[in-house]
């Protein structure tokens, strides 16, 4: 089941097991049970610290990962391969006693929860966002005996997907009730549970030389370049990687023929952490104020940070259609990530809105899963690269509608179709659908600035060739700026430029040094 390279990597991790662990399995004779049995046999044969026994669990097939003395509440229902294999490996290590790479304050907040919490997370193995959620909830289960978590593979438990009307992954249930859908961080889970974070200590950070807002490619680059200059550097991050986390295949990152967004995001985080950078995690900026000697940044937690220079690299997010029904049916038929949610729409009729590269790539991928794809493009012609259009046109289960405008997304409890206007004839038409994937580009994450800086009509920060903004001492980089090309490698370059410009600014303004 596991190829040679994966086994070699797994062997390295299994050698790191601190104590013996017990896998309790509940298997049947179906194909998924046979796959789970094979996986458990392979893993247990690679370490004498892994013991296996039969047990009665809620789902078949499933297995739990436990210490020898007590159950942890960590359960995998289905086959945790694909992107979820890392969740399994991490669970094995942490259950064995390997300490998690999480701030002590977060660990204490988890341990202090004094009520029964039974989480269930429905995932697809192709979802690159799901492991973050699974690993966060697994950790909570390991740290607190009152918390349990089951990862449930939607492919193995299609009946549950249908009965619970799950149309997006990850979808989390808590004590039998819908808790959340989509990516959510450990910090956000705790906040949603009412476990508030004490951010008051952030007010005592002193004054940074350079403060970076955002942990994507541009922000990470800016932080590294600043730290290498010996500057007192801080970085405020909600999550490392930013929009890169939503990208699967990356084949134009020079010198790296192929990588994937989640892997690149982890590499960014590890690289930043290798330098003397003060990482202020799970926080986001709310406003900035320029004083005579420094720039003041107020966070959403109401803590305040001060810095002599500021680099804004907050990136961008998926652009929404802004039509009736979009918000109402988000995660109920309206989706933005074809890699994550595509498998849920197997053998169903879906639409992709957007004829650029991202839209056509999504349509091509989805055509291999779903029954039929309808592509809707506002302009008279598709904007995607010729090679993508050629591939799209070769598919028999794809229809392309050009020069059309989506007017409304329809449904009751979930999507059942959309209404569009033919811009050639002004005629209104409708399509029956079970899923709609919106792929119409990005919008900059700059609304929080409240026009503090000069921006263009679409909200991008206007910068000069040194990444300087209209506010003295404030620089900006990456997809939140008016840079004409939104590419990872360009964002990294602009982050480096902004950092070097901030250094130059500090040198020229010696009173700030």
């Amino acid at each position: 089941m596991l190829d040679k390279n994966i086994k070699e990597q797994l062997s390295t991790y299994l050698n790191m097991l601190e104590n013996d662990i017990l896998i309790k399995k509940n298997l049947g004779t179906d194909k998924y049970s046979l796959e789970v049995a094979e996986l458990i046999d392979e893993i247990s044969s690679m370490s004498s610290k892994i013991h296996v026994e039969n047990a009665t669990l809620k789902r078949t097939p499933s297995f739990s990962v436990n210490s020898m003395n007590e159950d942890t509440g960590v359960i995998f229902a289905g086959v945790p391969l694909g992107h979820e294999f890392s969740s399994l490996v991490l669970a094995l290590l942490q259950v064995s006693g390997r300490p998690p790479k999480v701030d002590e304050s977060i660990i204490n907040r988890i341990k202090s929860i004094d009520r029964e919490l039974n989480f269930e997370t429905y995932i697809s193995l192709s979802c690159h966002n799901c492991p973050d959620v699974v690993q966060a909830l697994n950790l909570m289960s390991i740290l607190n005996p009152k918390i349990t978590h089951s990862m449930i593979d939607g492919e193995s438990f299609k009946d549950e997907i249908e009965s619970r009307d799950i149309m997006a992954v990850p979808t989390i249930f808590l004590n039998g009730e819908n808790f959340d859908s989509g990516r959510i961080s450990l910090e956000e889970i705790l906040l949603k549970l009412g476990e508030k974070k004490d951010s008051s200590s952030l007010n005592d950070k002193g004054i940074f030389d350079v403060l970076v807002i955002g942990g994507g490619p541009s922000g990470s680059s800016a932080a590294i370049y600043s730290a290498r200059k010996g500057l007192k550097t801080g970085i405020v991050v909600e999550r490392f990687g930013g929009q890169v986390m939503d990208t699967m295949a990356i084949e134009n990152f020079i010198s790296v023929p192929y990588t994937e967004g989640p892997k690149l995001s982890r590499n960014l985080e590890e690289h930043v952490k290798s330098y003397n950078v003060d990482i202020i995690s799970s926080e986001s900026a709310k406003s900035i104020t320029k004083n005579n000697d420094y720039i003041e940044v107020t966070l959403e937690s109401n803590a305040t940070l001060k810095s002599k220079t500021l680099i804004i690299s907050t990136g961008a997010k998926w652009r929404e259609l802004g039509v009736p029904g979009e918000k109402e049916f988000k995660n109920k038929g309206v989706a933005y990530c074809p890699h994550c949610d595509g498998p849920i729409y197997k053998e169903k009729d879906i639409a992709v809105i957007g004829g650029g590269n991202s839209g056509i790539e999504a349509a091509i991928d989805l055509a291999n899963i779903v029954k039929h794809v309808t592509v809707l493009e506002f302009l008279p012609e598709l904007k995607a690269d010729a090679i993508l259009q050629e591939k799209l046109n070769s598919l028999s289960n794809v229809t392309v509608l050009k020069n059309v405008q989506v007017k409304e997304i329809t449904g009751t409890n979930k999507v059942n179709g959309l209404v569009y206007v033919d811009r050639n004839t002004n005629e209104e038409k409708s399509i029956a659908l079970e899923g709609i994937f919106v792929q119409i580009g990005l919008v900059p994450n700059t609304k929080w600035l409240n026009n503090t800086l000069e921006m263009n009509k679409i909200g991008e920060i206007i910068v000069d060739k040194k990444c300087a903004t209209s506010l003295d001492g404030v620089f900006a980089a990456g997809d939140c700026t008016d840079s004409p090309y939104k590419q990872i490698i360009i964002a990294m370059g602009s982050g480096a430029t902004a950092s070097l410009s901030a250094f130059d600014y500090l040198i020229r303004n010696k009173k700030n040094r």
Side-chain angles (χ1 to χ4, degrees):
M1 174 169 284
L2 303 177
D3 64 34
K4 181 180 178 182
N5 290 333
I6 292 178
K7 275 193 170 183
E8 289 176 355
Q9 295 175 31
L10 179 59
S11 177
T12 301
Y13 285 117
L14 294 181
N15 286 332
M16 298 165 64
L17 293 174
E18 300 277 345
N19 297 291
D20 287 14
I21 59 178
L22 176 62
I23 294 177
K24 296 183 178 181
K25 60 180 181 177
N26 180 43
L27 307 178
T29 57
D30 59 281
K31 70 170 185 176
Y32 296 116
S33 290
L34 296 177
E35 289 177 7
V36 171
E38 184 180 355
L39 176 63
I40 292 174
D41 287 345
E42 283 200 49
I43 292 174
S44 61
S45 69
M46 296 174 67
S47 173
S48 60
K49 290 185 176 181
I50 299 177
H51 308 271
V52 182
E53 67 178 35
N54 293 320
T56 301
L57 301 173
K58 181 178 178 180
R59 293 176 176 87
T60 305
S62 64
F63 64 94
S64 60
V65 181
N66 313 282
S67 67
M68 296 302 295
N69 299 320
E70 67 174 338
D71 292 348
T72 62
V74 175
I75 298 171
F76 293 90
V79 190
L81 291 176
H83 291 292
E84 289 301 340
F85 188 65
S86 61
S87 299
L88 172 58
V89 173
L90 199 58
L92 294 170
L93 290 172
Q94 291 175 346
V95 169
S96 80
R98 197 82 183 174
K101 295 180 179 180
V102 178
D103 290 345
E104 192 67 29
S105 61
I106 291 180
I107 292 175
N108 292 334
R109 286 163 68 195
I110 294 171
K111 288 182 175 180
S112 68
I113 296 173
D114 190 26
R115 60 191 188 278
E116 300 288 337
L117 301 176
N118 301 306
F119 290 99
E120 298 168 305
T121 304
Y122 291 87
I123 61 95
S124 69
L125 298 181
S126 63
C127 171
H128 56 283
N129 293 325
C130 293
D132 287 345
V133 176
V134 170
Q135 290 164 25
L137 292 170
N138 279 350
L139 177 62
M140 291 177 65
S141 300
I142 293 167
L143 293 174
N144 190 321
K146 291 192 174 184
I147 301 174
T148 67
H149 175 239
S150 297
M151 179 223 80
I152 306 163
D153 174 28
E155 177 67 23
S156 303
F157 295 90
K158 293 178 182 178
D159 55 337
E160 292 189 36
I161 291 287
E162 293 291 335
S163 65
R164 284 183 152 177
D165 277 335
I166 294 169
M167 303 186 73
V169 290
T171 289
I172 307 169
F173 281 77
L174 171 58
N175 296 337
E177 300 294 328
N178 197 304
F179 178 75
D180 200 86
S181 290
R183 182 196 291 114
I184 184 171
S185 67
L186 177 56
E187 176 64 33
E188 289 169 330
I189 292 169
L190 291 173
L191 289 174
K192 193 161 185 176
L193 290 170
E195 304 297 324
K196 294 184 178 180
K197 175 182 180 180
D198 182 7
S199 300
S200 58
S201 61
L202 297 178
N203 296 318
D204 303 322
K205 290 284 186 181
I207 300 176
F208 292 100
D209 292 322
V210 178
L211 181 63
V212 181
I213 309 295
S218 58
S220 299
S221 174
I224 290 167
Y225 265 73
S226 296
R228 286 176 61 85
K229 288 292 186 182
L231 302 174
K232 181 180 179 181
T233 304
I235 182 170
V236 178
V237 293
E238 287 187 80
R239 58 167 181 156
F240 273 99
Q243 190 71 18
V244 169
M245 282 291 291
D246 297 326
T247 306
M248 281 305 296
I250 300 172
E251 299 175 311
N252 57 356
F253 188 44
I254 308 306
S255 84
V256 181
Y258 179 85
T259 188
E260 295 181 350
K263 181 179 180 180
L264 179 57
S265 298
R266 289 192 296 272
N267 291 342
L268 290 173
E269 182 175 5
E270 290 171 5
H271 200 172
V272 172
K273 287 181 175 178
S274 70
Y275 286 93
N276 187 23
V277 176
D278 191 343
I279 300 172
I280 299 138
S281 59
S282 301
E283 293 279 359
S284 58
K286 182 165 67 175
S287 64
I288 62 173
T289 305
K290 179 73 165 68
N291 296 316
N292 290 331
D293 297 326
Y294 55 80
I295 300 136
E296 195 171 90
V297 178
T298 302
L299 304 179
E300 287 290 347
S301 61
N302 290 322
T304 300
L305 301 172
K306 299 175 182 178
S307 184
K308 297 169 187 174
T309 62
L310 178 68
I311 297 174
I312 299 170
S313 54
T314 47
K317 61 183 178 182
W318 293 117
R319 185 182 299 278
E320 297 179 348
L321 282 169
V323 300
E326 181 178 21
K327 289 184 178 179
E328 292 85 343
F329 298 115
K330 186 176 181 180
N331 295 328
K332 289 295 181 182
V334 175
Y336 299 86
C337 180
H339 299 291
C340 300
D341 299 330
I344 293 175
Y345 296 88
K346 187 175 182 179
E347 298 301 320
K348 296 181 179 180
D349 293 331
I350 64 99
V352 172
I353 301 174
N357 282 348
S358 59
I360 301 310
E361 286 173 353
I364 292 169
D365 289 343
L366 290 166
N368 293 318
I369 302 170
V370 305
K371 182 179 179 182
H372 188 270
V373 180
T374 301
V375 176
L376 295 94
E377 165 57 36
F378 181 80
L379 297 176
E381 297 298 333
L382 299 180
K383 304 183 294 293
D385 294 342
I387 191 169
L388 291 175
Q389 293 192 45
E390 183 179 345
K391 174 63 177 176
L392 185 76
N393 293 332
S394 70
L395 302 173
S396 60
N397 62 335
V398 176
T399 300
V400 178
L401 302 176
K402 294 178 281 189
N403 209 27
V404 299
Q405 181 175 5
V406 177
K407 183 178 179 181
E408 180 184 6
I409 295 172
T410 60
T412 50
N413 295 322
K414 56 185 178 181
V415 165
N416 63 20
L418 64 76
V419 177
Y420 71 90
V421 175
D422 186 325
R423 299 176 66 220
N424 291 314
T425 63
N426 212 31
E427 183 182 359
E428 195 172 286
K429 300 180 180 181
S430 62
I431 313 174
L433 299 163
E434 293 180 82
I436 297 170
F437 289 81
V438 181
Q439 301 281 290
I440 56 173
L442 305 172
V443 58
N445 292 316
T446 58
K447 193 173 181 180
W448 64 277
L449 289 165
N450 295 316
N451 297 316
T452 309
L453 308 176
E454 184 181 357
M455 302 182 191
N456 61 22
K457 63 181 181 180
I458 60 173
E460 295 173 332
I461 301 170
I462 296 174
V463 294
D464 64 15
K465 64 182 180 181
K466 291 188 175 182
C467 291
T469 72
S470 58
L471 195 58
D472 192 41
V474 177
F475 303 85
D479 288 4
C480 66
T481 73
D482 62 346
S483 168
Y485 306 111
K486 314 303 184 187
Q487 297 290 315
I488 293 170
I489 197 165
I490 292 173
M492 285 184 172
S494 68
T497 299
S499 175
L500 295 172
S501 297
F503 176 74
D504 185 61
Y505 175 87
L506 291 169
I507 293 296
R508 293 175 183 275
N509 293 269
K510 293 184 178 179
K511 66 177 183 178
N512 289 329
R513 291 289 288 160

